[in-house]
Amino acid sequence: MKTILKSTQLQTAEKSYIVDLIMQNNSVAVEIIQYYVSGEAEQNSIKVSSSLLSELIKVLENYHANLPLKTTQGSEHLSELDKQKIQRYYLKGVSLKI
């Protein structure tokens, strides 16, 4: 039986993502479920073992750092992930690169 310990929803115009911290068979994992906002019945999900979670986060942060910068016209803002990353670096005393 799967027990959801914590859940977060992320959404774009086309898709919605549910990120759950789950307990299943005495093991903790993260499950990511993708839904289409347009009402389509299709959904996809993956489960990541807690033993691989740190590595997956490092890979995703590395990929994120290598994404080309988007030029925004008029509205520039930081994502919640970027704000948390800046805060983490600030608290560690690491200078930010401009």
Side-chain angles (χ1 to χ4, degrees):
M1 181 172 149
K2 176 173 78 171
T3 303
I4 298 173
L5 304 173
K6 188 172 184 176
S7 184
T8 302
Q9 180 176 358
L10 306 171
Q11 191 160 339
T12 66
E14 303 85 26
K15 297 175 186 174
S16 180
Y17 300 88
I18 306 294
V19 183
D20 292 332
L21 180 63
I22 62 170
M23 172 74 79
Q24 189 171 20
N25 302 327
N26 293 324
S27 177
V28 178
V30 172
E31 181 177 32
I32 303 171
I33 305 168
Q34 173 186 320
Y35 297 94
Y36 289 93
V37 175
S38 64
E40 296 178 32
E42 185 179 347
Q43 80 176 36
N44 300 307
S45 72
I46 62 167
K47 289 182 186 172
V48 180
S49 169
S50 59
S51 62
L52 291 176
L53 194 54
S54 292
E55 283 186 67
L56 178 61
I57 290 169
K58 287 176 188 174
V59 168
L60 292 174
E61 285 181 338
N62 186 12
Y63 287 177
H64 183 263
N66 290 305
L67 290 176
L69 296 175
K70 290 192 281 185
T71 56
T72 57
Q73 296 176 344
S75 65
E76 294 183 14
H77 66 279
L78 295 172
S79 70
E80 193 59 37
L81 182 62
D82 289 335
K83 290 177 188 178
Q84 291 172 0
K85 192 174 184 180
I86 290 169
Q87 182 181 17
R88 218 174 36 244
Y89 288 158
Y90 176 79
L91 293 173
K92 289 181 179 178
V94 177
S95 64
L96 296 176
K97 296 177 185 175
I98 298 176

